[in-house]
C-alpha cells in the first residue's frame, strides 16, 4: 500500500501546506481532535461531509487525468496561494494524497517560489512523496497546461515590456 498522508507538511518557500489523504487511518483517528485548517482545497467528491477546514473549497476532479473544472481549479489554487501569503493554514486533499494533491502542491510551488513545473515535479517527489503526480495525465497537465498560474506583474505608468 502506498503511503497515506495526514497533514503531511510540505514547505513552499516561506509557507507550509498540508497534504492529506481521505483514507489515511491517522486522519480518521486525529481529525476530530485537530485544529481545522483555515483554507481547505478538496479534490475528490468523497470529501463532502468529511472536510477538515474552516473554509472548504471543492473542485470536481474525478480521475487522475487533467482536471474537469480546469478554470475553477486554477482559481482555487491562486486563492490558496493568497491565503498562505495572508498567514492562513492551507490543506490540500484528495483520496490518496498523491496524484491530485501532489499536482496542486506543485502548482503552489510554481506560484509561490517561481519554479518551473518540471522543478516543482522533481522536488515534490523528492521532498513530499515519491508517488506524487503519479499518472501521465497529471504530469502532462502540470507540465503543459499550467502556464497561467503565474500572472505577470502589471505595468506601472511609463514602463514598457
Amino acid at each position: 500500500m502506498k503511503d497515506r498522508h495526514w497533514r503531511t507538511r510540505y514547505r513552499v518557500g516561506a509557507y507550509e501546506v498540508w497534504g492529506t489523504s481521505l483514507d489515511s487511518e491517522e486522519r480518521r483517528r486525529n481529525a476530530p481532535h485537530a485544529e481545522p485548517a483555515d483554507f481547505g482545497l478538496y479534490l475528490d467528491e468523497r470529501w463532502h461531509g468529511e472536510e477538515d477546514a474552516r473554509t472548504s473549497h471543492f473542485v470536481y476532479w474525478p480521475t487522475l487525468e487533467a482536471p474537469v473544472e480546469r478554470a475553477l481549479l486554477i482559481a482555487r489554487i491562486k486563492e490558496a496561494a493568497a491565503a498562505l501569503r495572508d498567514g492562513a493554514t492551507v490543506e490540500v486533499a484528495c483520496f490518496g494524497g498523491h496524484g491530485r494533491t501532489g499536482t496542486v502542491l506543485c502548482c503552489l510551488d510554481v506560484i509561490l517560489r517561481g519554479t518551473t513545473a518540471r522543478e516543482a515535479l522533481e522536488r515534490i517527489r523528492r521532498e513530499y512523496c515519491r508517488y506524487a503526480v503519479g499518472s501521465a495525465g497529471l504530469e502532462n497537465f502540470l507540465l503543459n497546461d499550467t502556464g497561467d498560474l503565474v500572472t505577470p506583474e502589471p505595468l506601472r505608468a511609463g514602463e514598457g515590456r
Side-chain angles (χ1 to χ4, degrees):
M1 182 171 172
K2 292 181 179 179
D3 299 334
R4 293 299 187 230
H5 301 277
W6 159 244
R7 293 190 171 172
T8 300
R9 284 155 168 59
Y10 184 67
R11 298 273 328 158
V12 180
Y15 311 101
E16 185 177 88
V17 185
W18 301 336
T20 296
S21 310
L22 178 62
D23 68 340
S24 164
E25 194 57 42
E26 189 177 357
R27 188 195 83 76
R28 294 274 179 216
R29 285 192 311 271
N30 293 322
H33 310 290
E35 186 70 21
D38 297 315
F39 183 104
L41 180 53
Y42 300 100
L43 309 168
D44 191 290
E45 64 277 358
R46 291 171 279 196
W47 271 98
H48 284 286
E50 298 277 342
E51 61 272 15
D52 297 326
R54 289 182 182 91
T55 303
S56 301
H57 303 277
F58 292 89
V59 175
Y60 180 68
W61 195 355
T63 67
L64 298 180
E65 299 298 323
V68 175
E69 298 179 314
R70 184 195 175 286
L72 177 60
L73 176 67
I74 296 296
R76 293 291 187 229
I77 291 169
K78 288 179 177 182
E79 289 172 15
L84 284 165
R85 286 184 184 116
D86 289 343
T89 53
V90 173
E91 176 176 55
V92 178
C94 61
F95 187 74
H98 302 106
R100 294 165 287 182
T101 295
T103 302
V104 169
L105 294 177
C106 284
C107 291
L108 288 170
D109 216 4
V110 168
I111 293 170
L112 295 168
R113 293 183 62 236
T115 64
T116 67
R118 173 69 61 196
E119 291 167 334
L121 178 61
E122 291 168 1
R123 182 171 172 262
I124 194 94
R125 289 179 175 160
R126 187 176 60 248
E127 296 180 20
Y128 172 75
C129 181
R130 64 186 169 132
Y131 302 110
V133 194
S135 77
L138 293 175
E139 194 169 317
N140 184 56
F141 166 71
L142 177 66
L143 297 177
N144 300 310
D145 199 27
T146 56
D148 55 349
L149 283 173
V150 180
T151 307
E153 292 294 319
L155 292 175
R156 286 179 270 200
E159 288 184 337
R161 292 236 188 246

